[in-house]
Amino acid sequence: MIAIGSDHGGFHLKQEIMRHLADKGIEFHDYGTYSEESCDYPDFGEAVGRAVASGECERGIVICGTGIGISLAANKVRGVRAALCGDCFSAEMCRRHNDANVLALGERVVGPGLALKIVDIFLETGFDGGRHSRRVAKLMDIEERN
Ligand code: RB5
């Protein structure tokens, strides 16, 4: 199950991504926003982050205008590793090296074609483990100590 959420700045791209996931038979839960009305990205970044951190959803996708605000919000949830990606290489490497569990996208930054490609790579790529496990463990330890 994929958790997905956006503010108004990411609303249209969210609709496209949900259509894409549905076409591929990938289950998702939409945590809002549900209209184009202006709203606050932290609410949706937190909701998706909590769904992933609790184990309710395997991965998350968050979208706002730039992807920055909503990625910051998701990353405030303990256990979340949200990666803002604007290219395919970053989408691959955030999974392989950082074991990112939330993908952040900026609707005003990437076109829909590229965004869907980034989503596919993010969902299809596994974590490399090995030396990267130690680094990810250190990342999570920062949360414990602060
Ligand atoms: C909303 O106008 C915009 O600030 C928001 O979508 C996002 O880009 C914030 O980081």
Side-chain angles (χ1 to χ4, degrees), residues 7-10 39 41 64-70 108:
D7 71 351
H8 57 289
C39 59
Y41 59 80
C64 67
T66 59
I68 296 170
I70 204 158
R108 299 172 188 158

Side-chain angles (χ1 to χ4, degrees), residues 5 27 35 52 65 70 80-81 85 100 106 111 116 123-124 145:
E27 285 192 314
S35 78
V52 173
I70 204 158
V80 168
R81 291 178 300 282
C85 295
L116 296 184
L123 296 180
E124 288 161 13
R145 290 184 283 105

Side-chain angles (χ1 to χ4, degrees), residues 7-9 11-12 33-39:
D7 71 351
H8 57 289
F11 178 73
H12 293 288
T33 186
Y34 304 112
S35 78
E36 294 176 4
E37 200 181 319
S38 181
C39 59

Side-chain angles (χ1 to χ4, degrees), residues 33-113:
T33 186
Y34 304 112
S35 78
E36 294 176 4
E37 200 181 319
S38 181
C39 59
D40 300 331
Y41 59 80
D43 299 337
F44 307 97
E46 181 181 6
V48 169
R50 288 172 75 102
V52 173
S54 68
E56 210 175 300
C57 292
E58 227 174 287
R59 304 257 181 94
I61 300 172
V62 291
I63 312 127
C64 67
T66 59
I68 296 170
I70 204 158
S71 67
L72 292 173
N75 271 319
K76 294 290 181 191
V77 178
R78 192 176 293 269
V80 168
R81 291 178 300 282
L84 172 57
C85 295
D87 63 90
C88 296
F89 182 69
S90 299
E92 180 186 340
M93 298 317 284
C94 79
R95 287 292 309 129
R96 291 184 53 193
H97 285 193
N98 312 116
D99 199 16
N101 49 14
V102 173
L103 168 68
L105 293 163
E107 176 177 320
R108 299 172 188 158
V109 181
V110 293

Side-chain angles (χ1 to χ4, degrees), residues 1 9 19 30 40 42 46 48 83 91 111 113 117 121 126 144:
M1 178 69 73
R19 261 195 304 273
D30 179 10
D40 300 331
E46 181 181 6
V48 169
K117 190 78 194 152
I121 293 169
E144 294 308 313

